[in-house]
Amino acid sequence: MKELTNYFTKKDIIFKQINEIMPKELGSRKKIGIYHATSVKKEFYAIFIVDAKSRFLRKNADDLMNYVKHFLQILIIVLRKKYY
């Protein structure tokens, strides 16, 4: 988590809140770090950390896009419950 915050701090992005989402919630069994963060400028970030020893393939990119779709669906549901 410290490496994550240091990386974004160097890019002048400061987070007010960072939440980890378990890959199981998105229907995945892969080893991937998924975070939902809110900056102090009230911008939302979806952060995916993939740690692989081999090269990154097109199949991996397609999987990440599917995770983003599921992530957005969950986030919309949570925000609707919170603000409506």
Side-chain angles (χ1 to χ4, degrees), residues 37-55:
T38 307
S39 71
V40 291
K41 297 178 183 176
K42 297 185 180 172
E43 299 170 327
F44 294 101
Y45 289 84
I47 304 165
F48 296 86
I49 300 174
V50 178
D51 187 19
K53 293 181 181 178
S54 62
R55 59 192 167 136

Side-chain angles (χ1 to χ4, degrees), residues 10-70:
K10 289 178 185 175
K11 295 185 176 285
D12 294 326
I13 300 171
I14 300 172
F15 294 122
K16 177 171 57 173
Q17 179 180 1
I18 299 176
N19 297 322
E20 183 175 10
I21 297 175
M22 302 307 294
K24 269 188 173 179
E25 293 178 36
L26 300 179
S28 173
R29 297 186 326 181
K30 295 188 178 200
K31 293 181 181 179
I32 182 172
I34 305 170
Y35 299 91
H36 167 257
T38 307
S39 71
V40 291
K41 297 178 183 176
K42 297 185 180 172
E43 299 170 327
F44 294 101
Y45 289 84
I47 304 165
F48 296 86
I49 300 174
V50 178
D51 187 19
K53 293 181 181 178
S54 62
R55 59 192 167 136
F56 194 78
L57 301 175
R58 177 69 187 163
K59 180 184 173 195
N60 300 97
D62 292 338
D63 289 343
L64 277 179
M65 290 306 296
N66 287 333
Y67 297 148
V68 169
K69 288 177 186 175
H70 290 292

